[in-house]
């Protein structure tokens, strides 16, 4: 029962009127952002970071968390009604969601998505409640070698598991590590890569990087991409699915919850990969897989459940290990640091009100999403009619004003513009900004703990192999690094073996 006491205290934190208001504000903004194609929760959190400076830490993180998981459902609306995924995690929902809408079942698709999102999110929160303290307790045994190995593994996993070209992801991660070295050396005080600019002496601030790459960069890229003619949203009739639809999708919701939860914990996993994996699983085990893509209810239920479960479980490595699992969690990491809170094993003990307040706010936020998701569909459909040429300049102006208010510095505004151009060019040439930001965040952790390890072992890193946790993490690192090359080698050998002539008695 002692374990339940801080959990109950966390509900007391959430039920504070101010925190409830910010929770509601977060999920509404999240749903709105999910509806607007291309902007996304990462960009929104980056833009809103300066606004959280004057807010209590627990209140600010509750709102930002609400934006993250609220956006997962918002992206469903455009996927079903317009065949236009508002979020990357909603891409696979397009396949069957839009076909259901064409058959006059848009309401059924949105209803199933709302129920699946609620169940998946709730399963993820329950898992977070019970698993996160255990992980935090285990992580108390971590020292500098373990943190260095974990940061190294996290960077590699994000770069190799992320969508798109693996080589481009590794290049982006390398650039992020380089950016993390800019500024004054913590150990020697020597300035590195500052080029005599005193504004860079303390390093590059995380917020301008995030606001530029995810905010301004996304705005510029989406303005160029959104040239296609606007589609008329499908009509929404009855939004409550039938008993047959619920029965048909119940298995997909259950499997999506479990799969999404565990994939969300992994660095590089997150909501996008979870939704794709859940869809692939349902299609593979279906008796009639040809139904998928033609309006299968399970094709909506599975990915929408999985992405919400993953969105919640991705908080576990962030809050307990201080390791962000994806780009949005990297922004949450930065938000916590701005508030003077360091994520990691000590968070549960040192800031129990923040830890349990944020965790329990997700229960409330999920209920709010379920209540509001269907009634607000009509409002969101009207928002879709607003032209990007109107929304984009307003968003860009808010981004630049927010950058200036951080330190009242035009240098920060210049950084946002610079990284906005970098973000635009990265998207233009197929580079995802996520690995760069994650490597930038983890770079300082990696360097500091690697150098501390060298001091502990008097410059001999072989001592790391005598510590079971760091050795295990390094072995996983080697497996992940070597596996793609090994897989490619095996793929080459199999066709070669298949083309070899079969020896017969006549040939002999």
């Amino acid at each position: 029962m002692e374990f339940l006491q801080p959990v109950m205290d966390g509900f007391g934190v959430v039920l504070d009127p101010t925190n409830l208001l910010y929770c509601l504000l977060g999920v509404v903004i999240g749903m709105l952002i999910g509806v607007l194609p291309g902007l996304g929760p990462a960009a929104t959190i980056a833009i809103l970071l300066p606004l959280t400076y004057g807010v209590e830490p627990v209140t600010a993180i509750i709102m930002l968390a609400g934006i993250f998981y609220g956006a997962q459902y918002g992206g469903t609306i455009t996927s079903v009604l317009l065949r236009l995924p508002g979020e990357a995690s909603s891409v696979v929902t397009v396949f069957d969601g839009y076909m259901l809408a064409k058959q006059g079942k848009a309401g059924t698709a949105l209803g199933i998505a709302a129920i699946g999102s609620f169940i998946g999110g709730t399963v993820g929160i329950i898992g977070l409640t019970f698993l996160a303290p255990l992980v935090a307790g285990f992580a108390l045994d971590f020292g500098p070698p373990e943190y260095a190995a974990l940061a190294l593994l996290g960077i590699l996993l994000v770069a190799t598991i992320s969508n798109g070209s693996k080589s481009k992801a590794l290049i982006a991660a390398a650039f992020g590590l380089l950016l993390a070295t800019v500024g004054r050396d913590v150990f020697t005080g020597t300035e590195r890569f500052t080029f005599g600019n005193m504004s860079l002496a303390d390093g590059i601030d995380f917020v301008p990087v995030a606001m530029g790459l995810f905010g301004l960069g996304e705005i510029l890229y989406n303005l160029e991409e959104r040239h296609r003619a606007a589609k008329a949203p499908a009509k929404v009739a009855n939004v409550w699915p039938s008993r047959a639809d619920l029965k048909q999708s119940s298995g997909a919701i259950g499997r999506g919850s479990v799969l999404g939860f565990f994939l969300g914990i992994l660095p590089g996993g997150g909501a996008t990969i979870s939704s794709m994996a859940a869809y692939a699983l349902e299609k593979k085990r279906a008796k009639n897989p040809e139904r998928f893509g033609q309006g299968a209810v399970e094709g909506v239920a599975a990915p929408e459940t999985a992405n919400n479960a993953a969105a919640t479980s991705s908080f576990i490595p962030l809050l307990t290990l201080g390791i962000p699992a994806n780009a949005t969690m990297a922004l949450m990491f930065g938000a916590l640091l701005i508030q003077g809170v360091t994520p990691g094993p000590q968070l549960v003990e040192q800031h129990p009100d923040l830890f349990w307040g944020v965790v329990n706010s997700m229960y409330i936020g999920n209920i709010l999403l379920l209540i509001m998701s269907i009634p607000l569909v009509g409002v969101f459909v009207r928002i879709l009619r607003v032209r990007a040429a109107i929304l984009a300049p307003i968003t860009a102006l808010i981004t630049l004003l927010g950058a200036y208010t951080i330190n009242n510095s035009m240098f920060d505004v210049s950084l946002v513009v610079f990284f906005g151009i970098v973000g635009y060019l990265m998207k233009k040439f197929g580079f995802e900004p996520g690995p760069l930001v994650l490597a930038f965040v983890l770079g300082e952790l990696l360097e500091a703990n690697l150098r501390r390890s060298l001091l502990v072992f008097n410059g001999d890193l072989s001592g790391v192999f005598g510590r079971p946790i760091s050795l295990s993490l390094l072995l996983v690192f080697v497996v992940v690094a070597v596996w793609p090359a090994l897989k490619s080698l095996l793929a080459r050998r199999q066709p070669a073996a298949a083309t070899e002539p079969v020896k017969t008695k006549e040939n002999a």
Side-chain angles (χ1 to χ4, degrees), residues 98-438:
Y98 186 69
M99 293 304 294
L100 284 169
K102 287 183 69 176
Q103 297 166 17
K105 297 180 180 179
T108 299
L110 292 173
I112 284 288
I115 294 168
S117 298
F118 175 75
I119 294 173
T122 303
V123 168
I125 300 163
I126 293 171
L128 175 60
T129 301
F130 289 96
L131 188 60
L134 296 177
V135 175
F138 169 75
L140 288 172
D141 296 329
F142 276 39
E146 286 77 16
Y147 272 111
L150 187 63
L152 191 65
L153 177 61
I155 293 168
L156 180 67
L157 283 172
V158 168
T160 54
I161 297 176
S162 62
N163 300 324
S165 169
K166 303 296 181 285
S167 59
K168 289 181 177 180
L170 285 170
I171 292 170
F175 185 52
L177 287 174
L178 180 63
L179 289 174
T181 63
V182 174
R184 193 177 289 111
D185 189 309
V186 178
F187 290 85
T188 66
T190 305
E191 291 188 3
R192 304 178 299 187
F193 305 113
T194 60
F195 305 103
N197 190 329
M198 290 303 296
S199 298
L200 292 173
D202 292 327
I204 299 174
D205 195 9
F206 170 78
V207 178
V209 175
M211 294 179 78
L213 289 173
F214 290 102
L216 196 58
E218 291 284 345
I219 292 166
L220 294 173
Y221 181 76
N222 290 324
L223 275 175
E224 184 181 45
E225 289 296 307
R226 292 172 70 179
H227 289 309
R228 50 179 169 252
K231 302 173 184 176
K235 292 183 179 179
V236 180
N238 182 24
V239 295
W240 189 253
S242 66
R243 185 174 297 179
D245 290 328
L246 288 171
K247 184 179 180 180
Q248 193 172 359
S249 58
S250 58
I253 290 173
R255 287 182 290 271
S257 298
V258 176
L259 183 64
F261 176 78
F262 286 106
L263 286 180
I265 297 173
L266 298 175
T272 303
I273 290 178
S274 299
S275 63
M276 293 178 179
Y279 186 86
L281 175 64
E282 292 307 312
K283 187 174 181 179
K284 187 175 181 179
R285 69 183 308 280
K287 292 180 180 179
N288 301 308
E290 62 276 3
R291 291 174 48 247
F292 284 77
Q294 304 299 319
V297 177
E298 309 97 293
V300 174
E304 288 303 311
T305 304
N307 66 27
N308 278 270
T312 304
S313 65
S314 59
F315 279 87
I316 292 177
L318 172 70
L319 296 176
T320 59
L321 300 175
I323 300 293
N326 51 58
T328 308
M329 287 299 104
L331 295 169
M332 297 293 292
F333 183 94
L336 285 163
L337 293 180
I338 288 169
Q339 295 289 342
V341 178
T342 303
Q346 301 292 337
L347 183 65
V348 181
E349 296 294 330
Q350 294 178 355
H351 301 280
D353 57 333
L354 187 146
F355 181 86
W356 291 111
V358 170
V359 171
N360 291 346
S361 72
M362 297 180 190
Y363 288 105
I364 307 297
N366 251 328
I367 294 170
L368 291 173
L369 278 172
L370 183 65
I371 294 171
M372 296 188 304
S373 55
I374 302 304
L376 289 179
V377 167
V379 176
F380 292 138
V381 169
R382 290 189 185 91
I383 291 171
L384 287 171
R385 302 183 191 278
V386 179
R387 287 182 299 161
I390 297 173
L391 286 175
I394 296 172
T395 310
L397 180 62
I398 293 171
T399 303
L400 295 175
L401 284 174
Y404 180 77
T405 58
I406 298 170
N407 298 309
N408 293 331
S409 168
M410 283 304 297
F411 181 75
D412 287 342
V413 176
S414 302
L415 282 178
V416 172
V417 173
F418 172 75
F419 283 107
I421 295 170
V422 170
Y424 163 74
L425 292 174
M426 288 181 71
K427 295 281 284 186
K428 181 81 172 172
F429 293 102
F431 289 84
E432 286 297 323
L436 188 157
V437 173
L438 281 158

Side-chain angles (χ1 to χ4, degrees), residues 24-171:
L24 174 64
L25 184 63
V27 296
V28 170
I29 293 175
M31 290 180 69
L32 175 61
I33 292 307
V35 167
L36 296 173
L39 194 54
T44 307
I45 291 172
I47 292 167
L48 294 179
L49 278 178
L51 302 181
T52 63
Y53 281 17
V55 183
E56 288 295 318
V58 63
T59 306
I61 304 305
I62 283 174
M63 183 187 73
L64 296 180
I67 292 171
F68 180 43
Y69 57 81
Q72 305 308 318
Y73 182 76
T76 311
I77 297 172
T78 49
S79 296
V80 171
L81 301 182
L82 293 176
R83 202 179 183 181
L84 188 66
E87 278 301 301
S89 57
S90 299
V91 168
V92 291
T93 307
V94 168
F95 304 152
D96 290 279
Y98 186 69
M99 293 304 294
L100 284 169
K102 287 183 69 176
Q103 297 166 17
K105 297 180 180 179
T108 299
L110 292 173
I112 284 288
I115 294 168
S117 298
F118 175 75
I119 294 173
T122 303
V123 168
I125 300 163
I126 293 171
L128 175 60
T129 301
F130 289 96
L131 188 60
L134 296 177
V135 175
F138 169 75
L140 288 172
D141 296 329
F142 276 39
E146 286 77 16
Y147 272 111
L150 187 63
L152 191 65
L153 177 61
I155 293 168
L156 180 67
L157 283 172
V158 168
T160 54
I161 297 176
S162 62
N163 300 324
S165 169
K166 303 296 181 285
S167 59
K168 289 181 177 180
L170 285 170
I171 292 170

